[in-house]
């Protein structure tokens, strides 16, 4: 599983990883559209509301029915909707909020959405959810300033047990506080 805050770089790395491992690739944004796993639109937040229960069921069926030895699931809420019994490794991509802000401009978020997502990165939202729901499988990777192929190489090193991985490797809250710019980043 590849998870992390919106626009952190999940899909870029997950697609390359899937190609290298000859794995099946499931992008949850596309999966929700393909199987109509939505409950409607959140007008205020301008996002689609996912039917998490229906998605969990459909994912379980899809993974059970897959002939592939390896499946890569890509999505910022992937940890919450993929049955833990089917998950071996969870990679949470982390990006320094200062760099992520620039990426988010490329992703075309509104100002409000950008600050909401930056706050989520700063308070470790995806990481905490992953550790709660998929304990013992989580590997946090700081992808700040790294190219996609470097991220993929690091993931493969972990999968092949040539590299150990940890959680709690970044502290954006402390970093921004020390630099005196935390308030600016936590506005919503
Ligand atoms: N390692 C990288 N170096 C430079 N640019 C990158 C890197 N990874 C991704 N990008 C760029 O950052 C943007 C977001 O990447 P990507 O779509 O992979 O993120 P995502 O986490 O899948 O986003 P979403 O949650 O919206 O699906 C894209 O414009 C992509 O080209
Ligand atoms: Mg994506």
């Amino acid at each position: 599983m590849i998870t992390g805050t919106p626009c952190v770089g999940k899909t870029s790395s997950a697609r390359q990883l899937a190609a290298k491992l000859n794995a099946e690739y499931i992008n949850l944004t596309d999966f929700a559209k393909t199987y109509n796993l939505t409950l409607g639109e959140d007008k205020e937040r301008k996002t689609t509301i996912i039917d998490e229960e229906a998605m969990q069921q459909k994912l379980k069926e899809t993974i059970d029915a897959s002939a592939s030895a390896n499946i890569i699931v890509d999505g910022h809420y992937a940890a919450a909707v993929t049955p833990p019994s089917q998950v071996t490794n969870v990679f949470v991509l982390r990006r320094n909020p200062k760099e992520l802000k620039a990426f988010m401009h490329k992703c075309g978020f509104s100002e409000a959405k950008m600050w909401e997502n930056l706050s989520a990165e700063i308070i470790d939202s995806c990481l905490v959810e992953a550790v709660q729901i998929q304990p013992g499988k989580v590997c946090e990777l700081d992808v700040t300033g790294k190219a996609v192929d470097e991220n993929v190489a690091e993931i493969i090193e972990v999968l092949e047990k040539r590299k150990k991985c940890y959680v709690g490797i970044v502290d954006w809250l402390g970093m921004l506080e020390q630099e005196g710019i935390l308030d600016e980043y936590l506005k919503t």
Side-chain angles (χ1 to χ4, degrees):
M1 176 180 298
I2 310 282
T3 189
T5 303
C7 203
V8 78
K10 299 178 294 296
T11 300
S12 308
S13 289
R15 280 192 183 280
Q16 196 184 104
L17 180 68
K20 279 217 157 146
L21 298 180
N22 199 18
E24 183 174 336
Y25 170 71
I26 299 176
N27 181 298
L28 293 184
T29 308
D30 299 339
F31 193 77
K33 283 189 197 132
T34 304
Y35 296 106
N36 199 19
L37 305 169
T38 56
L39 292 171
E41 295 292 317
D42 180 334
K43 291 223 169 66
E44 196 187 323
R45 295 171 66 238
K46 294 201 182 72
T47 49
T48 307
I49 304 163
I50 299 297
D51 184 343
E52 290 200 3
E53 232 171 272
M55 180 174 274
Q56 181 154 10
Q57 186 55 38
K58 190 73 200 168
L59 256 180
K60 187 180 183 316
E61 285 167 24
T62 305
I63 295 171
D64 278 344
S66 173
S68 298
N70 295 302
I71 303 172
I72 294 167
V73 179
D74 161 9
H76 72 270
Y77 47 82
V81 294
T82 316
S85 63
Q86 295 180 314
V87 179
T88 56
N89 298 76
V90 180
F91 294 93
V92 183
L93 307 193
R94 307 302 307 271
R95 192 176 295 282
N96 185 316
K98 294 195 282 184
E99 185 174 283
L100 185 57
K101 191 163 174 276
F103 275 59
M104 284 182 173
H105 283 296
K106 285 195 287 191
C107 281
F109 291 137
S110 65
E111 280 284 299
K113 197 77 207 152
M114 181 183 80
W115 291 115
E116 184 185 334
N117 286 331
L118 280 171
S119 293
E121 177 63 19
I122 293 164
I123 64 166
D124 306 324
S125 285
C126 278
L127 176 71
V128 169
E129 185 169 78
V131 172
Q132 277 175 331
I133 303 174
Q134 311 280 350
K137 304 170 202 170
V138 181
C139 181
E140 196 182 5
L141 299 177
D142 183 1
V143 298
T144 312
K146 290 194 181 148
V148 171
D149 48 0
E150 287 180 271
N151 302 332
V152 171
E154 197 173 346
I155 291 171
I156 291 173
E157 278 185 85
V158 173
L159 291 174
E160 292 179 348
K161 300 195 168 48
R162 286 184 282 120
K163 186 169 185 165
K164 270 193 82 135
C165 57
Y166 304 92
V167 294
I169 63 165
V170 302
D171 176 17
W172 305 141
L173 201 65
M175 180 201 79
L176 295 170
E177 165 72 359
Q178 261 191 5
E179 293 182 20
I181 53 174
L182 181 61
D183 294 350
E184 184 193 320
Y185 271 79
L186 282 183
K187 67 181 170 198
T188 49

